[in-house]
Coordinates of all heavy atoms in Angstrom, one line a residue:
A46 N 3.8 6.3 8.8 CA 3.1 7.3 7.9 C 2.0 6.6 7.2 O 0.9 7.3 7.0 CB 4.2 7.8 6.9
T47 N 2.1 5.4 6.7 CA 1.1 4.7 6.1 C -0.1 4.5 7.0 O -1.3 4.8 6.6 CB 1.6 3.3 5.5 OG1 2.6 3.6 4.5 CG2 0.4 2.5 4.9
L48 N 0.1 4.0 8.2 CA -0.9 3.9 9.2 C -1.7 5.2 9.5 O -2.9 5.2 9.5 CB -0.4 3.3 10.5 CG -1.5 3.0 11.6 CD1 -2.6 2.1 11.1 CD2 -0.8 2.5 12.8
S49 N -0.9 6.3 9.6 CA -1.5 7.6 9.8 C -2.4 8.0 8.7 O -3.5 8.5 8.9 CB -0.4 8.6 10.0 OG -1.0 9.9 10.1
Q50 N -2.0 7.7 7.4 CA -2.8 8.0 6.3 C -4.1 7.2 6.3 O -5.2 7.7 6.0 CB -2.1 7.7 5.0 CG -1.0 8.7 4.7 CD -1.5 10.1 4.3 OE1 -2.4 10.2 3.6 NE2 -0.9 11.1 4.8
L51 N -4.0 5.9 6.6 CA -5.2 5.0 6.7 C -6.1 5.5 7.7 O -7.3 5.6 7.5 CB -4.7 3.6 7.0 CG -4.0 2.8 5.8 CD1 -3.5 1.5 6.3 CD2 -4.9 2.7 4.6
E52 N -5.6 5.8 9.0 CA -6.5 6.2 10.0 C -7.2 7.5 9.7 O -8.3 7.8 10.2 CB -5.8 6.3 11.4 CG -5.4 4.9 12.0 CD -4.9 5.0 13.4 OE1 -4.6 6.1 13.9 OE2 -4.7 3.9 14.0
A53 N -6.6 8.4 8.9 CA -7.2 9.6 8.5 C -8.1 9.5 7.4 O -8.8 10.5 6.9 CB -6.0 10.6 8.1
G54 N -8.3 8.3 6.9 CA -9.2 8.0 5.8 C -8.7 8.5 4.4 O -9.4 8.6 3.5
R55 N -7.4 8.6 4.3 CA -6.8 9.1 3.1 C -6.0 8.0 2.3 O -5.3 8.3 1.3 CB -5.9 10.3 3.3 CG -6.6 11.5 3.8 CD -5.8 12.8 3.9 NE -4.6 12.6 4.7 CZ -4.6 13.0 6.0 NH1 -5.7 13.5 6.6 NH2 -3.5 12.8 6.7
G56 N -6.1 6.8 2.8 CA -5.3 5.7 2.2 C -6.2 4.9 1.2 O -7.4 5.1 1.2
N57 N -5.6 4.0 0.5 CA -6.3 3.1 -0.4 C -5.6 1.7 -0.2 O -4.9 1.2 -1.0 CB -6.1 3.5 -1.8 CG -6.9 2.7 -2.8 OD1 -7.8 2.0 -2.4 ND2 -6.5 2.7 -4.0
P58 N -6.0 1.1 1.0 CA -5.3 -0.2 1.4 C -5.7 -1.3 0.5 O -6.8 -1.4 0.1 CB -5.8 -0.4 2.8 CG -7.1 0.3 2.9 CD -7.0 1.5 2.0
T59 N -4.8 -2.3 0.4 CA -5.1 -3.5 -0.3 C -5.7 -4.5 0.8 O -5.7 -4.2 2.0 CB -3.8 -4.2 -0.8 OG1 -3.0 -4.5 0.3 CG2 -3.0 -3.3 -1.8
I60 N -6.3 -5.5 0.3 CA -6.9 -6.5 1.2 C -5.8 -7.1 2.1 O -6.0 -7.3 3.3 CB -7.6 -7.7 0.4 CG1 -8.9 -7.2 -0.1 CG2 -7.7 -8.9 1.3 CD1 -9.9 -6.9 1.0
E61 N -4.6 -7.3 1.5 CA -3.4 -7.8 2.3 C -3.1 -6.8 3.5 O -2.8 -7.3 4.6 CB -2.2 -8.0 1.4 CG -2.4 -9.2 0.5 CD -3.2 -8.9 -0.8 OE1 -3.4 -7.7 -1.1 OE2 -3.6 -9.8 -1.4
T62 N -3.1 -5.5 3.2 CA -2.8 -4.5 4.3 C -3.9 -4.6 5.4 O -3.6 -4.6 6.5 CB -2.7 -3.1 3.7 OG1 -1.7 -3.1 2.7 CG2 -2.5 -2.1 4.8
L63 N -5.2 -4.6 4.9 CA -6.2 -4.7 5.9 C -6.2 -6.0 6.7 O -6.4 -6.0 7.9 CB -7.6 -4.6 5.3 CG -7.9 -3.2 4.7 CD1 -9.3 -3.3 3.9 CD2 -7.9 -2.2 5.7
D64 N -5.8 -7.1 6.1 CA -5.7 -8.4 6.7 C -4.5 -8.3 7.8 O -4.7 -8.8 8.9 CB -5.4 -9.5 5.7 CG -5.5 -10.9 6.4 OD1 -6.5 -11.2 7.1 OD2 -4.6 -11.7 6.1
A65 N -3.4 -7.7 7.4 CA -2.3 -7.6 8.3 C -2.7 -6.7 9.5 O -2.3 -7.1 10.7 CB -1.1 -6.9 7.6
L66 N -3.5 -5.7 9.3 CA -4.0 -4.9 10.4 C -4.9 -5.7 11.3 O -4.8 -5.6 12.5 CB -4.6 -3.6 9.9 CG -3.7 -2.6 9.4 CD1 -4.4 -1.5 8.5 CD2 -3.0 -1.9 10.5
A67 N -5.8 -6.4 10.7 CA -6.8 -7.2 11.5 C -6.1 -8.3 12.3 O -6.4 -8.5 13.5 CB -7.8 -7.9 10.5
I68 N -5.0 -8.9 11.8 CA -4.3 -9.9 12.5 C -3.5 -9.2 13.7 O -3.5 -9.7 14.8 CB -3.3 -10.6 11.6 CG1 -4.1 -11.6 10.7 CG2 -2.3 -11.4 12.4 CD1 -3.3 -12.1 9.5
A69 N -2.9 -8.0 13.4 CA -2.2 -7.3 14.4 C -3.1 -6.9 15.6 O -2.8 -6.8 16.7 CB -1.5 -6.1 13.9
L70 N -4.4 -6.6 15.2 CA -5.4 -6.1 16.2 C -6.1 -7.3 16.8 O -6.9 -7.1 17.7 CB -6.4 -5.2 15.5 CG -5.9 -3.8 15.1 CD1 -6.8 -3.1 14.2 CD2 -5.6 -3.0 16.4
R71 N -5.9 -8.5 16.3 CA -6.5 -9.7 16.7 C -8.1 -9.7 16.6 O -8.8 -9.9 17.6 CB -6.1 -10.1 18.2 CG -4.6 -10.4 18.2 CD -4.3 -11.0 19.6 NE -2.9 -11.4 19.6 CZ -2.0 -11.0 20.5 NH1 -2.4 -10.2 21.4 NH2 -0.8 -11.4 20.4
I72 N -8.5 -9.2 15.5 CA -10.0 -9.2 15.2 C -10.2 -9.7 13.8 O -9.3 -9.9 13.0 CB -10.4 -7.7 15.2 CG1 -9.7 -6.8 14.2 CG2 -10.3 -7.1 16.6 CD1 -10.2 -5.4 14.1
P73 N -11.5 -10.1 13.5 CA -11.8 -10.6 12.2 C -11.7 -9.4 11.2 O -11.9 -8.2 11.6 CB -13.3 -11.0 12.3 CG -13.6 -11.1 13.8 CD -12.6 -10.2 14.5
L74 N -11.3 -9.7 10.0 CA -11.1 -8.7 9.0 C -12.4 -7.9 8.8 O -12.3 -6.7 8.6 CB -10.7 -9.3 7.6 CG -10.6 -8.4 6.4 CD1 -9.6 -7.3 6.6 CD2 -10.3 -9.3 5.2
T75 N -13.5 -8.5 8.9 CA -14.8 -7.8 8.7 C -15.0 -6.7 9.7 O -15.8 -5.8 9.5 CB -16.0 -8.8 8.7 OG1 -15.9 -9.6 9.9 CG2 -15.9 -9.7 7.5
D76 N -14.4 -6.8 10.9 CA -14.5 -5.8 11.9 C -14.0 -4.4 11.4 O -14.5 -3.3 11.9 CB -13.8 -6.1 13.2 CG -14.6 -7.0 14.1 OD1 -15.6 -7.6 13.6 OD2 -14.2 -7.2 15.3

Side-chain angles (χ1 to χ4, degrees):
T47 296
L48 179 60
S49 176
Q50 289 290 319
L51 290 174
E52 286 190 352
R55 292 189 302 265
N57 186 19
T59 64
I60 284 293
E61 289 79 15
T62 298
L63 292 176
D64 190 48
L66 286 163
I68 290 168
L70 290 165
R71 295 189 175 126
I72 58 174
L74 174 60
T75 54
D76 279 14

